[in-house]
């Protein structure tokens, strides 16, 4: 591995998968055990996603699990990948994250997205603010004010109190050209969801970089900064990793067909529906590094070169929590 690639931080996005035969409580406990392990292994960030009305995932109350994970770790940064801002009152986000950051200073990240993280019907039940770009920008400006040393929103003379002085760094999550442009215009770091929307990822990153404005009132960095998502499963052999990967393929197929199941055990590839089904799955999750340590190292290096990313964030679904643990350990060994 070249020196430049080796220096790129490696992070983990956890959606807290729930496997068949596992309780929600066990899945949440496993997520906290995983946080301890990632901290010990030297990963830079652990982010938790926000999803709703999905029975195979337990990452709904994102700020709650972030607070719990911060309690059981020491060095790793804990954050959201992300908080879907239209689902929340910005003031409540400032209060929730401010509280966590007061107890765990300089370790909390706030990644923000505009998508609902769920279906339209569920979104109607939880929508609190507008998803249009200007409203999104205004909410971020208020959040920056609430996290500043003054602790006041920019739009109204209201304080979050607990957020004051925490200066929590804000990231913009995006999967589209518009999302990339918004992140650039806001002058904020950009986390691109290449792990599930791989199409035209180079163009999206270019759009982010070309639209980047340091003069924006929301700008927190002085040059573009990109984190790119990639699906990863590491196992002793390519064959074993590919078999473990079929759990992810089944999960995606269930999402596409509306089938509601918990994460399923690995299967033989020919059991994954029709050839057309498999092609559709492969196209959606084409950004992946699945295989032996040598295979994964090469794919991560290639992806880093293709994106020019400053950091990578990996997503790993497994039916057996021990397979995920081993994958994270082997990934740390090959990268750090």
């Amino acid at each position: 591995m070249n020196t430049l690639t080796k220096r790129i931080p490696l992070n983990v996005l956890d959606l807290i998968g729930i496997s068949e035969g596992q309780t929600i409580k066990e899945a949440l406990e496993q997520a906290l055990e995983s946080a301890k392990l990632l901290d010990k292994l030297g990963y830079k960030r652990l982010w938790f996603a926000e999803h709703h009305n999905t029975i195979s995932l337990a990452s709904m109350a994102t700020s709650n699990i972030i607070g719990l994970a911060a309690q059981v770790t020491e060095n790793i940064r804990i954050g959201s990948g992300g908080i879907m801002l239209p689902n929340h009152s910005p003031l409540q986000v400032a209060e929730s994250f401010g509280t966590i950051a007061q107890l765990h200073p300089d370790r909390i990240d706030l990644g923000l997205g505009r998508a609902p993280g769920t279906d339209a019907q569920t979104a109607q039940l939880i929508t609190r603010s507008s998803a249009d770009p200007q409203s999104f920008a205004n909410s971020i400006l208020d959040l920056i004010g609430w996290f500043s040393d003054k602790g006041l929103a920019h739009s109204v003379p209201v304080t979050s109190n607990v957020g004051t002085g925490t200066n929590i760094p804000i990231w913009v999550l995006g999967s589209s050209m518009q999302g990339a442009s918004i992140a650039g215009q806001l002058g904020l770091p950009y986390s691109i969801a290449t792990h599930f929307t791989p199409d035209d990822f180079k163009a999206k990153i270019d759009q982010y970089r070309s639209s980047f404005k340091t003069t924006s009132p929301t700008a927190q960095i002085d040059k573009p900064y990109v984190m790119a998502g990639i699906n990863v499963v590491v196992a002793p052999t390519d064959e074993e990793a590919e078999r473990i990967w079929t759990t992810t393929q089944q999960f995606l197929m269930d999402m596409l067909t509306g089938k509601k199941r918990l994460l399923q055990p690995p299967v033989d590839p020919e059991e994954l529906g029709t050839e057309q089904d498999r092609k559709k799955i492969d196209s959606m999750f084409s950004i992946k590094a699945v295989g032996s340590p040598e295979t994964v190292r090469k794919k991560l290096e290639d992806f880093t070169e293709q994106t020019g990313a400053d950091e990578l964030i990996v997503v790993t679904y497994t039916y057996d929590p021990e397979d995920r643990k081993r994958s994270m350990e082997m990934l740390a060994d090959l990268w750090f």
Side-chain angles (χ1 to χ4, degrees):
M1 185 186 302
N2 64 58
T3 305
L4 179 62
T5 303
K6 195 170 184 178
R7 285 200 296 266
I8 294 174
L10 205 57
N11 313 300
V12 173
L13 176 64
D14 196 347
L15 292 86
I16 316 183
I18 310 168
S19 298
E20 189 75 53
Q22 187 182 43
T23 66
I24 296 172
K25 181 175 184 288
E26 288 169 341
L28 290 167
E29 290 172 342
Q30 188 62 48
L32 296 179
E33 286 301 312
S34 178
K36 294 178 190 177
L37 175 66
L38 297 172
D39 190 30
K40 195 176 300 181
L41 292 172
Y43 288 87
K44 183 176 181 180
R45 307 179 199 274
L46 168 59
W47 283 8
F48 293 95
E50 177 186 343
H51 282 270
H52 303 280
N53 195 31
T54 306
I55 69 165
S56 54
L57 303 175
S59 57
M60 281 79 177
T62 315
S63 60
N64 289 1
I65 194 69
I66 288 171
L68 292 169
Q71 284 183 2
V72 299
T73 54
E74 296 179 1
N75 300 306
I76 193 169
R77 296 189 66 88
I78 310 291
S80 58
I83 289 292
M84 301 295 104
L85 198 51
N87 299 343
H88 306 272
S89 152
L91 176 57
Q92 289 180 319
V93 173
E95 291 171 342
S96 296
F97 276 76
T99 299
I100 300 168
Q102 290 289 354
L103 296 171
H104 308 282
D106 301 318
R107 286 187 54 214
I108 306 302
D109 296 328
L110 177 55
L112 298 171
R114 294 189 305 126
T118 189
D119 57 276
Q121 187 177 41
T122 307
Q124 287 184 337
L125 297 175
I126 55 179
T127 298
R128 297 295 304 274
S129 58
S130 174
D132 76 81
Q134 189 57 57
S135 296
F136 186 66
N138 291 342
S139 293
I140 289 178
L141 191 58
D142 276 341
L143 282 164
I144 290 171
W146 282 317
F147 296 143
S148 72
D149 292 340
K150 289 185 177 180
L152 289 174
H154 285 264
S155 63
V156 288
V158 170
T159 179
S160 70
N161 192 28
V162 289
T164 302
T166 56
N167 294 296
I168 298 172
I170 293 176
W171 293 67
V172 173
L173 281 61
S175 59
S176 65
M177 291 293 284
Q178 185 183 42
S181 180
I182 290 170
Q185 291 175 42
L186 294 176
L188 294 171
Y190 174 49
S191 182
I192 180 170
T194 31
H195 58 290
F196 72 89
T197 50
D199 295 347
D200 302 320
F201 68 87
K202 292 182 182 178
K204 293 170 189 173
I205 293 172
D206 287 344
Q207 175 67 21
Y208 163 67
R209 291 180 173 136
S210 65
S211 61
F212 190 86
K213 293 182 179 178
T214 57
T215 55
S216 170
T218 55
Q220 292 190 319
I221 52 176
D222 56 11
K223 61 181 180 180
Y225 196 90
V226 175
M227 180 195 298
I230 181 169
N231 298 285
V232 172
V233 175
V234 194
T237 66
D238 287 348
E239 293 74 20
E240 185 176 356
E242 290 287 353
R243 183 172 174 80
I244 293 170
W245 173 247
T246 62
T247 291
T248 303
Q249 293 174 303
Q250 292 177 82
F251 169 62
L252 179 56
M253 188 174 293
D254 288 347
M255 289 179 63
L256 294 174
T257 60
K259 195 172 186 178
K260 293 186 179 296
R261 295 191 297 175
L262 302 181
L263 296 184
Q264 296 297 300
V267 296
D268 293 329
E270 57 268 21
E271 297 178 51
L272 290 169
T274 66
E275 183 178 351
Q276 186 176 4
D277 290 335
R278 293 195 291 272
K279 284 183 178 178
K280 190 169 185 179
I281 292 170
D282 289 341
S283 68
M284 286 186 68
F285 276 22
S286 62
I287 304 297
K288 66 181 189 294
V290 176
S292 66
E294 188 55 41
T295 296
V296 170
R297 179 189 294 110
K298 179 66 167 61
K299 289 184 176 180
L300 289 179
E301 289 176 347
D302 290 346
F303 183 59
T304 300
E305 187 173 344
Q306 290 170 4
T307 58
D310 300 284
E311 300 187 18
L312 299 180
I313 188 162
V314 307
V315 184
T316 303
Y317 299 97
T318 66
Y319 169 75
D320 186 342
E322 289 301 312
D323 287 338
R324 188 174 188 272
K325 176 182 176 183
R326 181 182 63 175
S327 180
M328 294 302 174
E329 290 172 337
M330 296 181 77
L331 181 59
D333 286 343
L334 70 87
W335 194 257
F336 299 140

